[in-house]
Amino acid sequence: MNYTIKSPDSLKASVKLPASKSICNRALILNALSYSPYEIRNLSDCDDTEVMVKALNSNDRDFDIKAAGTAMRFLTAFLSKVVGEWTITGTERMKNRPIKILVDALNALGARVEYMEKEGYPPLRIFGSALQGGEISLAGGVSSQYISALLMIAPLMENGLTLHLEGVVISKPYINLTLQLMEQYGVKAEWNGQTIKVRPQDYHPIPFTVESDWSAASYWYSMMALSKNAEIELLGLFKNSLQGDAAGAKLFAQLGVGTTYTDRGVVLKHNGNRTKKLNYNFVNEPDLAQTFVVTCVLLNIPFRFTGLQSLKIKETDRIEALKTELRKLGYLLTDSNNSILEWNGERCEPQAHPVITTYEDHRMAMAFAPAALVLPEGIEIADPQVVSKSYPHYWRDLRTAGFIIIDNEQ
Ligand SMILES: O=C(O)C1=C[C@@H](OP(=O)(O)O)[C@@H](O)[C@H](O)C1
Ligand SMILES: C=C(OP(=O)(O)O)C(=O)O
């Protein structure tokens, strides 16, 4: 299936964004670990959260978490402390996303987790039991999800857990999010420099409501940046959010979008400022990188983005995917060091009828859709259903805002 997306004359939207899947998937684990009687409010209906809900509520021993990185990593740790024998698998891509650092850590803490196919990758067989815990070192530069997964089960280990993080620690706000939510459920941790310590403690159930997703908000900021005539309000976002991607609001101020916080969310406005070049290190907000890459080239703003090392092992190799797809639109990007992506203004002949390939990556589809606002023919996007990973109602929300979306198979 392909969608052609065409720009409205004016864009008007008050959007109820999806709930943050990062918060949902943590709250689900913490609810289970605290034997909570409360149902989580405003849980997302996105794929990544649905696979988690299904796994936690099923009587099965074999789980398929599809493409959800958080579900794969958090459930692997969770199941390793639930007595029984379990298997966990996912999509072909998931079978190529590394998990060795987490498996080694769990096994060193008293768990038994084995590879069913390729060493270092899912699917896994997990023999759950009580965990001793203790003190271990692990690399902080591959995925913060390994660290979050270990931290959430840490207070229930016999000796607690002390983690020494080695090297650069990427995606730190996600570790902070984990610790903040653990604290809301009554568990305290100490994070000093490269060491995080969690003593044995019990979780205490609380009623919990999930906030809207700041990563999803970024696509609406991009639309605001690219449109001449727009009124956009995004509901359920907070200035003092626990989500690291709330940093997108400040960064978009440099691309001409101002944010006003209200008691129900944010209102976006053009602020008349646009930087001539954008340099930024995305190590703390990797999920925003695609939004900013696409927005900058379409605004004709050269950029140098660093800290992108984790993009190669996400839903697809996002560095390659961005280069390939933007070349179709006539933009030549260069990458270096597996972690830097740059555009110095270089152009090539655009394809006459480009179709954006999405590589089973929700963020490719969502980041390219705003291009409809500046391309006279609109933009054609392949496999648009990929958005269901984090934002199942994305196309419906775009239609409500005034975009014309044509399903090319109908
Ligand atoms: O913990 C989380 O909820 C997430 C952490 C990040 O992954 P990495 O830590 O692998 O960068 C992010 O990209 C992902 O979408 C969600
Ligand atoms: C990287 C992402 O997800 P995950 O790693 O949880 O699959 C994402 O949503 O951009």
Side-chain angles (χ1 to χ4, degrees), residues 21 48 67-71 73 94 97 145 287 290 314-315 318 361-363 389-390:
K21 73 170 165 79
D48 281 16
T70 48
R73 282 73 180 256
M94 186 53 66
R97 296 183 68 186
Q145 293 178 8
D287 294 356
Q290 287 149 300
K314 297 207 185 281
E315 283 76 338
R318 290 178 170 169
D361 183 355
H362 53 145
R363 301 202 190 282
K389 187 174 193 285
S390 68

Side-chain angles (χ1 to χ4, degrees), residues 60-268:
D60 291 347
R61 296 180 168 278
D62 305 305
F63 305 110
D64 181 353
I65 52 69
K66 299 184 184 164
T70 48
M72 173 55 76
R73 282 73 180 256
F74 298 174
L75 283 172
T76 295
F78 177 84
L79 292 170
S80 70
K81 63 154 286 302
V82 181
V83 175
E85 189 182 325
W86 320 99
T87 71
I88 184 161
T89 191
T91 57
E92 273 314 298
R93 175 63 181 170
M94 186 53 66
K95 292 182 181 181
N96 288 291
R97 296 183 68 186
I99 196 156
K100 186 171 189 308
I101 293 172
L102 175 60
V103 170
D104 285 352
L106 287 166
N107 286 339
L109 295 166
R112 194 173 145 208
V113 183
E114 295 174 356
Y115 302 110
M116 295 172 69
E117 292 176 14
K118 196 166 59 166
E119 161 98 22
Y121 298 87
L124 304 173
R125 188 181 307 285
I126 300 164
F127 301 88
S129 66
L131 301 183
Q132 299 131 261
E135 192 162 339
I136 54 163
S137 296
L138 84 169
V142 179
S143 170
S144 71
Q145 293 178 8
Y146 310 145
I147 298 160
S148 290
L150 293 165
L151 289 172
M152 283 190 281
I153 59 166
L156 305 169
M157 295 180 190
E158 277 163 37
N159 302 318
L161 175 67
T162 302
L163 285 182
H164 299 290
L165 308 179
E166 290 173 339
V168 178
V169 182
I170 63 161
S171 296
K172 264 190 193 162
Y174 289 99
I175 302 176
N176 201 36
L177 174 64
T178 306
L179 294 178
Q180 298 277 339
L181 295 183
M182 285 168 60
E183 189 164 347
Q184 290 187 20
Y185 278 83
V187 163
K188 283 216 157 59
E190 295 143 51
W191 187 356
N192 292 310
Q194 298 280 103
T195 300
I196 308 178
K197 186 168 182 162
V198 185
R199 291 169 215 279
Q201 298 162 65
D202 288 328
Y203 282 114
H204 298 290
I206 47 161
F208 190 90
T209 306
V210 185
E211 38 177 273
S212 291
D213 187 14
W214 268 104
S215 322
S218 74
Y219 309 108
W220 292 95
Y221 273 80
S222 172
M223 291 177 230
M224 190 75 199
L226 296 172
S227 72
K228 293 198 175 59
N229 188 3
E231 283 174 46
I232 298 178
E233 178 185 31
L234 305 174
L235 304 173
L237 294 175
F238 304 103
K239 190 171 190 176
N240 296 322
S241 170
L242 299 174
Q243 300 169 61
D245 281 2
K250 262 201 183 147
L251 200 51
F252 262 109
Q254 295 189 56
L255 300 185
V257 182
T259 303
T260 307
Y261 291 88
T262 67
D263 54 2
R264 45 188 244 165
V266 300
V267 175
L268 310 188

